[in-house]
Amino acid sequence: MLLYSTMLDVNDTLTKEKFIQLVIKWNQESQYEENVIPCLVWDGQMNVSYGDDQHWLEIEEYRNGILSLSAIKKLRKMAGSGTAIM
């Protein structure tokens, strides 16, 4: 499993909405077609997920205002190993 976490300051320039739009753009314009979540159109809602059985994006806003975005890709099961979540 590959896990990456960071905290970014959100201000007048980088709002939560702009950050979500940036993450979606990053996904939709990926040079790796297998990583693109098809038909991903964000309607401004928080606490939603988009995708299918193999990969998805979750957007959550906690009560304290902290924003969490999780992009997850399920890898195919390889001989002798379990399913990995990225």
Side-chain angles (χ1 to χ4, degrees):
M1 176 177 14
L2 176 63
L3 178 63
Y4 178 77
S5 175
T6 191
M7 294 186 75
L8 300 172
D9 288 329
V10 176
N11 57 33
D12 294 338
T13 306
L14 180 63
T15 64
K16 292 176 185 180
E17 292 78 12
K18 286 182 182 177
F19 180 68
I20 292 169
Q21 291 169 347
L22 182 64
V23 170
I24 291 170
K25 181 179 178 183
W26 165 77
N27 174 264
Q28 296 297 287
E29 296 178 2
S30 174
Q31 64 180 332
Y32 304 103
E33 189 175 314
E34 67 274 10
N35 292 336
V36 174
I37 298 170
C39 304
L40 176 53
V41 177
W42 182 53
D43 60 6
Q45 291 187 51
M46 300 291 185
N47 304 317
V48 295
S49 64
Y50 301 93
D52 56 30
D53 290 346
Q54 295 304 309
H55 48 296
W56 59 94
L57 173 70
E58 295 178 353
I59 301 169
E60 293 183 57
E61 183 177 30
Y62 298 109
R63 285 186 217 175
N64 60 3
I66 292 178
L67 180 67
S68 170
L69 279 84
S70 304
I72 301 170
K73 180 177 181 184
K74 195 182 279 190
L75 300 177
R76 285 190 282 261
K77 193 170 185 176
M78 301 173 75
S81 67
T83 302
I85 303 290
M86 285 180 45

